[in-house]
Amino acid sequence: MAVIKILKDGETDIESTDISKFALHSDYKCQKIALATYVQITLPAGSTCGNGDSAEGVINHNLGYIPIFFPFVEFGGKGYEATGNANPQITVTPVNPNEPVGAAFDIWADSTQLHITVWPTGFGETAGNNTFTVRCFFIEDEII
Amino acid sequence: MTAPIFKIAKRGGDALTDAQKDLAFDSSLDYMIILEERTDTSDGSNNLQITHSLGYIPAFYTFFEAADGSWYRQLETGLGGSYADSTKIYIQTDEPNQRVRTVIFANSQDNSVGSGRNNASGKLRVAKPGYDAEIETDLRRFRFASGGGVFKIKENKVLRVTVHLDGSGYSDDSVTYAHGLGYVPQVYVFLSGVQIPIFQFIAAGMSYNVDFTIDATNLTVHVASGEYALSDGDIFDFNAQILLDKIA
């Protein structure tokens, strides 16, 4: 069985057993992007931490399985890495400039959609109107 | 004219009939193209700034080195966390002088095409539709380029942690998997379990804590809970994709 191997720039040993040196090796799957897209979510003015206020968004990926996904939250010209529950937490525009408020995100997937929930953080603090762009790379491989 | 498609099946597979997700490579799809893999150390105030000068916001992926030499994802950051703008990546570490492994992808966070960069390299290059792989120089206009490569998958693995409460209702359970690579590999870990759907990791706001670490030998997943926050026998499944690319 033929094996197709392509080394990364700077690597010279095509017989290497260290697969990290290869850009592509046909014994292993490359991590392919099934879909890259985004959704905008607005946390409306007056949203207050502790009141149960939140906003939700959905991205339809329709892959039929729960994919590996790789999300970022863009706000104010910055793209935040989303790594966990209640993460990222971003400083957003408050109603009262003297009472800073944050926004936190939960992001999770099922076999058809990515679900995003954002809510204000900083107990009792109230957010102004804030719109976020959640971008996500869906990898063409299932989590399970 | 329809562009030709270049498919590579895994050993024993069939490029003509295998499902797209099972192929080693398929030129009709985009890839997360690795622009740079680097390890840096934060300063004494836990700050790390990496200048990429790309002129757009790139996708990136980070791991942090723990005191015991294992590596972890920063699951709970408080306000801030790691972010990129069009010039730099900004990272707040948990400790001063802490090592961070950062993979910077050529892909912008919205996977848009662009022009003006001169960072495409490698002997195998596949341009996105409408672009010429022999002319283009901006990696954003490529689906694949072998210069920096892409993440390659070793295996997917499910690690199941069963909660065992002690006499006071607390728990602290771990499961370890020997990945056998002999170096610290990149990994994605997702979670499903009680009270939560599947999503990417878990951290704040819970009365229990879930995390994972990886070193040159083992992937270790861990669940700990406060007084009766969980029940004896609760199950957490960690779904890991272990990659062949290196953290260290």
Side-chain angles (χ1 to χ4, degrees):
Chain A
M1 177 68 71
V3 176
I4 297 175
K5 298 185 276 190
I6 299 174
L7 288 164
K8 294 179 180 177
D9 281 357
E11 301 294 345
T12 57
D13 183 7
I14 195 70
E15 302 300 332
S16 177
T17 57
D18 181 349
I19 308 302
S20 69
K21 294 182 177 180
F22 293 91
L24 187 159
H25 190 300
S26 63
D27 279 347
Y28 303 96
K29 294 194 292 184
C30 293
Q31 209 180 44
K32 303 180 281 288
I33 299 172
L35 177 68
T37 188
Y38 69 94
V39 63
Q40 289 192 312
I41 305 172
T42 297
L43 190 61
S47 299
T48 302
C49 178
N51 284 1
D53 295 334
S54 65
E56 297 187 355
V58 166
I59 294 175
N60 296 308
H61 61 75
N62 292 320
L63 287 169
Y65 54 81
I66 301 171
I68 289 172
F69 57 97
F70 190 20
F72 295 91
V73 178
E74 184 183 333
F75 180 75
K78 300 172 181 175
Y80 291 81
E81 191 178 30
T83 59
N85 193 40
N87 179 277
Q89 291 189 42
I90 300 171
T91 300
V92 297
T93 306
V95 166
N96 183 344
N98 297 319
E99 295 179 352
V101 61
F105 292 79
D106 274 355
I107 303 174
W108 57 277
D110 59 25
S111 61
T112 57
Q113 294 180 319
L114 185 79
H115 302 261
I116 305 108
T117 303
V118 55
W119 69 94
T121 63
F123 191 78
E125 308 298 349
T126 301
N129 194 70
N130 291 279
T131 297
F132 310 91
T133 302
V134 177
R135 304 186 187 282
C136 190
F137 295 91
F138 296 94
I139 303 301
E140 189 163 84
D141 209 355
E142 56 269 71
I143 293 176
I144 53 174
Chain B
M1 186 180 76
T2 303
I5 296 175
F6 172 35
K7 296 181 180 179
I8 302 174
K10 289 180 67 181
R11 191 187 299 262
D14 185 332
L16 297 177
T17 59
D18 284 355
Q20 197 171 45
K21 67 183 178 61
D22 295 325
L23 294 171
F25 181 82
D26 183 333
S27 69
S28 67
L29 292 172
D30 289 346
Y31 292 79
M32 301 299 297
I33 301 175
I34 297 171
L35 180 65
E36 187 176 4
E37 299 168 277
R38 54 186 292 158
T39 302
D40 302 276
T41 302
S42 64
D43 64 19
S45 301
N46 302 16
N47 293 310
L48 172 60
Q49 294 187 11
I50 299 170
T51 300
H52 59 72
S53 300
L54 285 168
Y56 60 88
I57 303 174
F60 63 100
Y61 193 58
T62 54
F63 266 92
F64 294 68
E65 187 178 32
D68 65 0
S70 65
W71 293 76
Y72 66 95
R73 290 274 285 167
Q74 195 177 43
L75 305 183
E76 186 175 6
T77 60
L79 278 174
S82 300
Y83 64 89
D85 62 19
S86 59
T87 306
K88 295 181 179 180
I89 296 172
Y90 303 81
I91 296 168
Q92 183 82 31
T93 60
D94 297 316
E95 305 289 341
N97 307 310
Q98 185 175 21
R99 291 208 303 167
V100 180
R101 181 68 164 180
T102 306
V103 178
I104 306 172
F105 296 98
N107 310 64
S108 65
Q109 288 189 10
D110 59 359
N111 207 34
S112 61
V113 296
S115 65
R117 309 310 307 170
N118 186 24
N119 52 10
S121 68
K123 289 184 167 50
L124 175 62
R125 287 182 266 177
V126 180
K128 291 181 176 177
Y131 299 103
D132 186 336
E134 293 189 303
I135 296 173
E136 298 296 341
T137 61
D138 192 322
L139 272 171
R140 286 173 292 173
R141 294 186 167 183
F142 287 85
R143 288 187 150 158
F144 179 91
S146 65
V150 299
F151 278 167
K152 296 162 295 296
I153 301 166
K154 176 180 183 287
E155 63 178 324
N156 291 354
K157 187 74 183 175
V158 179
L159 302 181
R160 170 164 288 187
V161 175
T162 302
V163 172
H164 299 89
L165 297 187
D166 65 17
S168 302
Y170 291 79
S171 75
D172 192 343
D173 298 284
S174 297
V175 169
T176 292
Y177 173 66
H179 54 71
L181 285 170
Y183 57 82
V184 187
Q186 295 280 356
V187 63
Y188 285 77
V189 179
F190 297 80
L191 176 69
S192 62
V194 290
Q195 302 172 25
I196 53 173
I198 286 184
F199 55 80
Q200 190 164 4
F201 316 126
I202 177 173
M206 303 270 181
S207 52
Y208 52 92
N209 183 64
V210 179
D211 55 40
F212 73 94
T213 59
I214 191 158
D215 60 24
T217 307
N218 294 318
L219 170 65
T220 301
V221 298
H222 172 235
V223 179
S225 66
E227 189 175 5
Y228 294 106
L230 296 171
S231 299
D232 206 43
D234 279 349
I235 288 173
F236 290 79
D237 282 334
F238 293 77
N239 300 74
Q241 183 167 85
I242 300 169
L243 303 167
L244 291 154
D245 306 271
K246 290 180 178 175
I247 294 174

